[in-house]
Amino acid sequence: MKDRFIPYKIYLEESEMPKYWYNVRADMKNKPAPLLNPATHEPMTASELAGVFCEELVEQELDDTTREYPIPQEIRDFYKMYRPSPLVRAYCLEEKLGTPAKIYYKFEGNNTSGSHKLNSAIAQAYYAKKQGLKGVTTETGAGQWGTALSMACSYFGLDCKVYMVKVSYEQKPFRREVMRVYGANVTPSPSDTTNVGRKILAEHPGTGGSLGCAISEAVEVAVGTPGYRYVLGSVLNQVLLHQSVIGVETKAALDKYGVTPDIIIGCAGGGSNLGGLISPFMGEKLRGEKDYRFIAVEPASCPSLTRGVFAYDFCDTGMVCPLAKMYTLGSDFIPAPNHAGGLRYHGMSPVLSQLYDDGYIEAVSVPQTKVFEAAEEFARVEGILPAPESSHAIRVAIDEALKCKETGEEKTIVFGLTGTGYFDLVAYQKFHDGIMDDYVPTDEELAAYAAKLPKI
Ligand SMILES: *Cc1c(COP(=O)(O)O)cnc(C)c1O
C-alpha cells in the first residue's frame, strides 16, 4: 500500500485559483511563424485579422512577448462556477496496474459541455461582448466546442451560429439539442446558406462534410454579417493562452504538495488542451529551470505530428482563412469515417508545432482499439467515463506506468483527462461489438495530400 499523504483529489481554494493566463510564446526562442494572408502570402496584420476575429483576441493572437495576461474578473467569476477542476491521484489505477509510478490526471469534464473547451469559449464570448458585437459564428465537429460556445454565449447574451459537420449533426442529435437548450442556431455543414457550402455541395453531393468545410462556412457568415465575428475552439495562439488555466492550476496544486512531474501527457487534436496543460511547465523547461518529458498523443488515423509535414497550410477547405505554419496532413485530408474521437483536424497548433520541431515535445500515435481498451480499464477503476479523445492520453499514461513496472522506477506521470464520453456511446458500442476498425492511412495516401500543400 502506498503512502497516502496526498489526497485522492487535490483542490485549490477559490483564493488560490489562477489570476493570469500564461503565454508560453514569451519564453520561446523560436517563435511560432506568423499567420499569412491567403491571397498575398504576407503576414496578416492586426487590422486584417480584425475583420474576422474580435479585437482583443487579435492582440492576444499576435502577442509573442507578454508573459502573463491578467484574467478579467468577469471570466474569473464564470470559472468559479466549474473550476478549479480536480487534479486526481489515480491510486486505484496505480494499484490495478501494479506500478510504482505515481499517476495524476487533471479532469476537465466537470461542466455541462463535458470538456476543457469552455475555458476558451467563455473568454472569447467575453471579448465579443466587450466589443459590443451581436454574435459569433463557429464550426463544430464532434460537438463539444459548439456546446461550450453556446453556453458561453447564452451567459453573455450573444447570438451563436454553429456550423456542425453534417455526419455529426446526424449521428449526434443529442449534442445538437444541448446547443439548442443554450439558444444556439445549429446548421449542418455543408449547407446552402453560404457560397462555399453551395460550391462544396455542387462538387460533392451527399458529402458528410468536414471540419475544414464547416470553418469556411462559419468564416464567410461572420465576415458578411455586420456585428458578427468568427471564433475558433483550438489551434490558435489565443486558445492556447486561455487553456493555460489548466496548466497553471495543475502546477499550483502539485506545488502545494511539493510534487514535480517527470512526464506530462495529453491528447492532441488542434493542440489546445495539451498546449494549455504543459504551458507553465514548458516555460520552466524553456528557461532552463527544470526538465520534463512532454508527450502528445494523436490517433493513428490522423497523425499530424508523427507523420505530417511542417509547412504553411490552409486552416480550412475553402481556403478563406489565413495560412498557418504547422504540422499538417494537408487541408483536404479527411480521416477515415470510422474514426471515433474528435481528434480529426488535419493541422496542429503553430505553437506546439514549433516546440515539437525544436525537440521539446515527443509525439506518439495510437490505434483506436488500443485507446478504447485503455478507456475501459480506466473507467472500471477510476469511475469516470472518459471521452475517446481523452482516452488517447490514458493509453500512453498506462503504457508509461507499465514501463515503470518493468524498470521499478517511481516516475510521476500527469495526464490531461479532457472530458467525458456520454455522447460517444456509439463508438463504445462498436468497440464492445468488436467492429471497431483501426484504419491507418498509407504513406502513399499521405504523400498525395502532402503534394497538394500550397507552395510557400
Ligand atoms: C476538442 C477536444 C479535444 C481535442 O482538442 P485540442 O484542441 O487538441 O485540445 C480533446 N478532448 C476533448 C474531450 C475535446 O472535446
mmCIF file of all heavy atoms in Angstrom, residues 144-165:
data_model
loop_
_atom_site.group_PDB
_atom_site.id
_atom_site.type_symbol
_atom_site.label_atom_id
_atom_site.label_comp_id
_atom_site.label_asym_id
_atom_site.label_seq_id
_atom_site.Cartn_x
_atom_site.Cartn_y
_atom_site.Cartn_z
ATOM 1 N N GLN A 144 -18.380 19.220 -29.050
ATOM 2 C CA GLN A 144 -18.016 19.772 -27.738
ATOM 3 C C GLN A 144 -17.774 21.280 -27.794
ATOM 4 O O GLN A 144 -18.183 22.009 -26.902
ATOM 5 C CB GLN A 144 -16.737 19.115 -27.178
ATOM 6 C CG GLN A 144 -16.909 17.691 -26.741
ATOM 7 C CD GLN A 144 -16.432 16.733 -27.799
ATOM 8 O OE1 GLN A 144 -16.626 16.963 -28.990
ATOM 9 N NE2 GLN A 144 -15.813 15.646 -27.387
ATOM 10 N N TRP A 145 -17.112 21.722 -28.838
ATOM 11 C CA TRP A 145 -16.822 23.163 -28.937
ATOM 12 C C TRP A 145 -18.115 23.947 -29.123
ATOM 13 O O TRP A 145 -18.335 24.968 -28.478
ATOM 14 C CB TRP A 145 -15.834 23.447 -30.067
ATOM 15 C CG TRP A 145 -15.729 24.907 -30.395
ATOM 16 C CD1 TRP A 145 -16.105 25.520 -31.553
ATOM 17 C CD2 TRP A 145 -15.245 25.957 -29.535
ATOM 18 N NE1 TRP A 145 -15.882 26.876 -31.479
ATOM 19 C CE2 TRP A 145 -15.350 27.168 -30.249
ATOM 20 C CE3 TRP A 145 -14.731 25.981 -28.235
ATOM 21 C CZ2 TRP A 145 -14.971 28.392 -29.714
ATOM 22 C CZ3 TRP A 145 -14.354 27.219 -27.699
ATOM 23 C CH2 TRP A 145 -14.470 28.402 -28.432
ATOM 24 N N GLY A 146 -18.995 23.465 -30.004
ATOM 25 C CA GLY A 146 -20.270 24.151 -30.222
ATOM 26 C C GLY A 146 -21.060 24.249 -28.929
ATOM 27 O O GLY A 146 -21.671 25.275 -28.627
ATOM 28 N N THR A 147 -21.037 23.189 -28.148
ATOM 29 C CA THR A 147 -21.767 23.191 -26.880
ATOM 30 C C THR A 147 -21.156 24.205 -25.914
ATOM 31 O O THR A 147 -21.871 24.990 -25.289
ATOM 32 C CB THR A 147 -21.724 21.786 -26.227
ATOM 33 O OG1 THR A 147 -22.113 20.822 -27.199
ATOM 34 C CG2 THR A 147 -22.657 21.710 -25.037
ATOM 35 N N ALA A 148 -19.843 24.180 -25.806
ATOM 36 C CA ALA A 148 -19.169 25.106 -24.888
ATOM 37 C C ALA A 148 -19.452 26.554 -25.292
ATOM 38 O O ALA A 148 -19.772 27.400 -24.449
ATOM 39 C CB ALA A 148 -17.662 24.836 -24.889
ATOM 40 N N LEU A 149 -19.369 26.821 -26.590
ATOM 41 C CA LEU A 149 -19.593 28.202 -27.042
ATOM 42 C C LEU A 149 -21.050 28.622 -26.831
ATOM 43 O O LEU A 149 -21.318 29.761 -26.465
ATOM 44 C CB LEU A 149 -19.199 28.337 -28.521
ATOM 45 C CG LEU A 149 -19.208 29.773 -29.014
ATOM 46 C CD1 LEU A 149 -18.090 30.588 -28.362
ATOM 47 C CD2 LEU A 149 -19.087 29.841 -30.528
ATOM 48 N N SER A 150 -21.979 27.705 -27.043
ATOM 49 C CA SER A 150 -23.398 28.033 -26.804
ATOM 50 C C SER A 150 -23.611 28.437 -25.353
ATOM 51 O O SER A 150 -24.326 29.407 -25.067
ATOM 52 C CB SER A 150 -24.294 26.820 -27.093
ATOM 53 O OG SER A 150 -24.027 26.293 -28.348
ATOM 54 N N MET A 151 -22.997 27.695 -24.442
ATOM 55 C CA MET A 151 -23.128 28.028 -23.013
ATOM 56 C C MET A 151 -22.553 29.408 -22.738
ATOM 57 O O MET A 151 -23.154 30.223 -22.031
ATOM 58 C CB MET A 151 -22.375 26.989 -22.164
ATOM 59 C CG MET A 151 -23.006 25.613 -22.147
ATOM 60 S SD MET A 151 -21.967 24.392 -21.287
ATOM 61 C CE MET A 151 -22.132 24.944 -19.582
ATOM 62 N N ALA A 152 -21.372 29.667 -23.297
ATOM 63 C CA ALA A 152 -20.700 30.948 -23.055
ATOM 64 C C ALA A 152 -21.513 32.102 -23.632
ATOM 65 O O ALA A 152 -21.660 33.155 -23.011
ATOM 66 C CB ALA A 152 -19.298 30.915 -23.656
ATOM 67 N N CYS A 153 -22.061 31.909 -24.836
ATOM 68 C CA CYS A 153 -22.832 32.974 -25.475
ATOM 69 C C CYS A 153 -24.133 33.245 -24.732
ATOM 70 O O CYS A 153 -24.544 34.387 -24.589
ATOM 71 C CB CYS A 153 -23.138 32.609 -26.934
ATOM 72 S SG CYS A 153 -21.719 32.797 -28.009
ATOM 73 N N SER A 154 -24.786 32.207 -24.242
ATOM 74 C CA SER A 154 -26.044 32.465 -23.538
ATOM 75 C C SER A 154 -25.750 33.215 -22.235
ATOM 76 O O SER A 154 -26.520 34.082 -21.836
ATOM 77 C CB SER A 154 -26.823 31.172 -23.295
ATOM 78 O OG SER A 154 -26.194 30.372 -22.348
ATOM 79 N N TYR A 155 -24.608 32.934 -21.625
ATOM 80 C CA TYR A 155 -24.231 33.623 -20.384
ATOM 81 C C TYR A 155 -24.061 35.126 -20.625
ATOM 82 O O TYR A 155 -24.475 35.949 -19.815
ATOM 83 C CB TYR A 155 -22.935 33.019 -19.852
ATOM 84 C CG TYR A 155 -22.449 33.600 -18.551
ATOM 85 C CD1 TYR A 155 -23.081 33.290 -17.342
ATOM 86 C CD2 TYR A 155 -21.349 34.451 -18.518
ATOM 87 C CE1 TYR A 155 -22.634 33.815 -16.146
ATOM 88 C CE2 TYR A 155 -20.891 34.979 -17.311
ATOM 89 C CZ TYR A 155 -21.531 34.662 -16.138
ATOM 90 O OH TYR A 155 -21.086 35.176 -14.952
ATOM 91 N N PHE A 156 -23.465 35.476 -21.764
ATOM 92 C CA PHE A 156 -23.235 36.897 -22.050
ATOM 93 C C PHE A 156 -24.291 37.508 -22.974
ATOM 94 O O PHE A 156 -24.136 38.637 -23.423
ATOM 95 C CB PHE A 156 -21.842 37.096 -22.663
ATOM 96 C CG PHE A 156 -20.728 37.030 -21.657
ATOM 97 C CD1 PHE A 156 -19.715 36.099 -21.780
ATOM 98 C CD2 PHE A 156 -20.692 37.912 -20.584
ATOM 99 C CE1 PHE A 156 -18.677 36.036 -20.854
ATOM 100 C CE2 PHE A 156 -19.658 37.861 -19.647
ATOM 101 C CZ PHE A 156 -18.657 36.917 -19.777
ATOM 102 N N GLY A 157 -25.344 36.752 -23.305
ATOM 103 C CA GLY A 157 -26.411 37.289 -24.137
ATOM 104 C C GLY A 157 -25.993 37.570 -25.568
ATOM 105 O O GLY A 157 -26.402 38.564 -26.166
ATOM 106 N N LEU A 158 -25.179 36.687 -26.147
ATOM 107 C CA LEU A 158 -24.749 36.839 -27.542
ATOM 108 C C LEU A 158 -25.451 35.808 -28.412
ATOM 109 O O LEU A 158 -25.732 34.695 -27.960
ATOM 110 C CB LEU A 158 -23.240 36.574 -27.656
ATOM 111 C CG LEU A 158 -22.265 37.616 -27.156
ATOM 112 C CD1 LEU A 158 -20.885 36.987 -27.049
ATOM 113 C CD2 LEU A 158 -22.226 38.808 -28.107
ATOM 114 N N ASP A 159 -25.681 36.171 -29.684
ATOM 115 C CA ASP A 159 -26.212 35.195 -30.628
ATOM 116 C C ASP A 159 -25.068 34.250 -31.037
ATOM 117 O O ASP A 159 -23.920 34.668 -31.150
ATOM 118 C CB ASP A 159 -26.780 35.931 -31.849
ATOM 119 C CG ASP A 159 -27.386 34.960 -32.836
ATOM 120 O OD1 ASP A 159 -28.074 34.008 -32.399
ATOM 121 O OD2 ASP A 159 -27.160 35.134 -34.059
ATOM 122 N N CYS A 160 -25.412 32.991 -31.283
ATOM 123 C CA CYS A 160 -24.377 31.995 -31.585
ATOM 124 C C CYS A 160 -24.822 31.129 -32.758
ATOM 125 O O CYS A 160 -25.844 30.442 -32.674
ATOM 126 C CB CYS A 160 -24.170 31.140 -30.334
ATOM 127 S SG CYS A 160 -22.957 29.836 -30.496
ATOM 128 N N LYS A 161 -24.094 31.217 -33.877
ATOM 129 C CA LYS A 161 -24.424 30.413 -35.063
ATOM 130 C C LYS A 161 -23.364 29.327 -35.228
ATOM 131 O O LYS A 161 -22.190 29.635 -35.428
ATOM 132 C CB LYS A 161 -24.436 31.278 -36.319
ATOM 133 C CG LYS A 161 -25.491 32.382 -36.324
ATOM 134 C CD LYS A 161 -25.510 33.055 -37.698
ATOM 135 C CE LYS A 161 -26.236 34.401 -37.653
ATOM 136 N NZ LYS A 161 -27.630 34.309 -37.194
ATOM 137 N N VAL A 162 -23.800 28.081 -35.165
ATOM 138 C CA VAL A 162 -22.856 26.959 -35.209
ATOM 139 C C VAL A 162 -23.039 26.163 -36.495
ATOM 140 O O VAL A 162 -24.156 25.725 -36.811
ATOM 141 C CB VAL A 162 -23.075 26.012 -34.004
ATOM 142 C CG1 VAL A 162 -22.080 24.848 -34.057
ATOM 143 C CG2 VAL A 162 -22.951 26.758 -32.684
ATOM 144 N N TYR A 163 -21.953 25.997 -37.255
ATOM 145 C CA TYR A 163 -21.968 25.082 -38.403
ATOM 146 C C TYR A 163 -21.415 23.748 -37.944
ATOM 147 O O TYR A 163 -20.271 23.650 -37.535
ATOM 148 C CB TYR A 163 -21.164 25.674 -39.577
ATOM 149 C CG TYR A 163 -21.976 26.736 -40.271
ATOM 150 C CD1 TYR A 163 -21.985 28.047 -39.819
ATOM 151 C CD2 TYR A 163 -22.815 26.392 -41.321
ATOM 152 C CE1 TYR A 163 -22.793 29.005 -40.406
ATOM 153 C CE2 TYR A 163 -23.629 27.345 -41.920
ATOM 154 C CZ TYR A 163 -23.610 28.644 -41.452
ATOM 155 O OH TYR A 163 -24.428 29.571 -42.032
ATOM 156 N N MET A 164 -22.282 22.737 -37.965
ATOM 157 C CA MET A 164 -21.897 21.432 -37.418
ATOM 158 C C MET A 164 -21.686 20.442 -38.564
ATOM 159 O O MET A 164 -22.559 20.303 -39.430
ATOM 160 C CB MET A 164 -22.996 20.926 -36.483
ATOM 161 C CG MET A 164 -22.666 19.631 -35.776
ATOM 162 S SD MET A 164 -23.879 19.293 -34.475
ATOM 163 C CE MET A 164 -23.155 17.878 -33.681
ATOM 164 N N VAL A 165 -20.525 19.809 -38.582
ATOM 165 C CA VAL A 165 -20.206 18.814 -39.616
ATOM 166 C C VAL A 165 -21.400 17.856 -39.759
ATOM 167 O O VAL A 165 -21.885 17.320 -38.770
ATOM 168 C CB VAL A 165 -18.924 18.036 -39.240
ATOM 169 C CG1 VAL A 165 -18.631 16.968 -40.278
ATOM 170 C CG2 VAL A 165 -17.753 18.992 -39.093
#
